[in-house]
Amino acid sequence: DAGITQSPRHKVTETGTPVTLRCHQTENHRYMYWYRQDPGHGLRLIHYSYGVKDTDKGEVSDGYSVSRSKTEDFLLTLESATSSQTSVYFCAIGVQGALSGYTFGSGTRLTVV
Amino acid sequence: ILNVEQSPQSLHVQEGDSTNFTCSFPSSNFYALHWYRWETAKSPEALFVMTLNGDEKKKGRISATLNTKEGYSYLYIKGSQPEDSATYLCAFRDDKIIFGKGTRLHILP
């Protein structure tokens, strides 16, 4: 998607290993979000950021941490991956107060074996 | 935790027929209601952002209405086409967006 990229697109990792997913934007948006998509659950918010070094937890934040050291990058880290974290992860960017919807990245498919 | 409910969960519609589905959300502390269209193997794409009670939005054959007092929004598709097959997500927004689980629409040829 224009203006927002996620990396990697696919990853397979072993239980107990750390994993970092990257979301990069070129839109200079203040707000960035990490969601996970699971069958029967839709999109669930993990963490979000409302500015550099300003982050907050979403509804499923346990086992995840985030960092935002610059406007364009929002990193999601699984400190010690578990099989329950096998999912598709989406990053989104948005403008607070805007009447436009959020823009999503293409997703990262993570498999923890 | 905010609860956003969508119904039905899944829907099969004959090509050419019109259809609609529902999103229910908390009626207090309302800021905005979003609708997204999500095709398989792609990312969600914004359809509408609605903020005012009584709002009606339209894009081609797709339209949406909003009732913030009772906490619901309807999405309508007129004359369904195969390309309308997708999952339609609604999302309630206060300081962050909370998504419903979506309505999966299948258009039958």
Side-chain angles (χ1 to χ4, degrees), chain A residues 1 31 33 35 37 40-43 45 48 59 90 95-102 104-106, chain B residues 1 9 31 34 36 38 42-46 48-49 51 89 93-101:
Chain A
D1 288 294
Y31 283 78
Y33 303 81
Y35 289 88
Q37 179 215 353
H41 291 280
L43 287 169
L45 182 64
Y48 66 104
E59 57 184 306
F90 284 95
V95 179
Q96 184 73 344
L99 294 182
S100 58
Y102 285 13
F104 284 81
S106 300
Chain B
I1 294 181
Q9 190 174 3
Y31 182 80
H34 293 210
Y36 291 82
W38 194 2
K42 294 187 177 180
S43 307
E45 292 184 351
F48 305 115
V49 175
T51 58
L89 295 174
R93 182 174 172 183
D94 47 14
D95 62 335
K96 54 189 177 292
I97 283 186
I98 302 296
F99 284 86
K101 294 180 182 179

Side-chain angles (χ1 to χ4, degrees), chain B residues 63-74:
Chain B
S63 60
T65 61
L66 179 67
N67 184 324
T68 60
K69 295 187 188 307
E70 296 181 40
Y72 65 84
S73 175
Y74 292 131

